[in-house]
Amino acid sequence: QVQLVESGGGLVQAGGSLRLSCAASGTFLNIPVMGWYRQAPGKQRELVATLPSGGSPNYADSVKGRFTISRDIAKNTVDLQMNSLHPEDTAVYCCNAVISRIGYGVNEHWGQGTQVTVSS
């Protein structure tokens, strides 16, 4: 079994900062990609940022210059530093990981999500 556990969500005023963290646990070979997605009420889930191991980050246009994604490959973690938050950043943020496991191939896994609320 693979688990992704997020932490760090909460309530912040516009212009403030939050840092989200996600840790993967279980038995697996490696994690080619980790990232963050978000879903606001009444909207579809959208990519926020992804970071392949040994590669460059990919950001949604709406967060470029404000959010920074980082990974600790050895610890199987991914963080999202969110600065200059806007009310429209309010959403449930979910950790995503593409994980390679013996006998299962490469599959996508999701965390349970953490709420981020930005007040105006």
Side-chain angles (χ1 to χ4, degrees):
Q1 284 283 36
V2 173
Q3 273 194 317
L4 299 178
V5 179
E6 301 116 331
S7 60
L11 173 64
V12 65
Q13 287 189 331
S17 298
L18 281 175
R19 188 176 184 88
L20 304 182
S21 296
C22 172
S25 63
T27 303
F28 43 82
L29 291 174
N30 56 49
I31 307 178
V33 184
M34 293 189 85
W36 292 91
Y37 289 70
R38 67 186 182 187
Q39 187 166 18
K43 294 187 177 182
Q44 290 194 337
R45 183 168 59 195
E46 63 175 358
L47 178 149
V48 177
T50 58
L51 181 57
S53 54
S56 299
N58 177 44
Y59 294 100
D61 287 342
S62 59
V63 308
K64 282 180 182 176
R66 301 187 297 123
F67 291 10
T68 302
I69 188 171
S70 59
R71 289 181 63 179
D72 186 324
I73 303 298
K75 294 182 179 179
N76 299 313
T77 60
V78 61
D79 291 348
L80 185 69
Q81 177 65 42
M82 306 185 292
N83 299 329
S84 302
L85 283 160
H86 305 156
E88 51 266 36
D89 293 317
T90 296
V92 174
Y93 284 70
C94 290
C95 177
N96 173 275
V98 176
I99 296 178
S100 176
R101 296 189 288 164
I102 294 176
Y104 294 90
V106 178
N107 300 103
E108 206 171 24
H109 297 264
W110 295 90
Q112 78 284 359
T114 185
Q115 178 70 45
V116 171
T117 303
V118 185
S119 63
S120 56

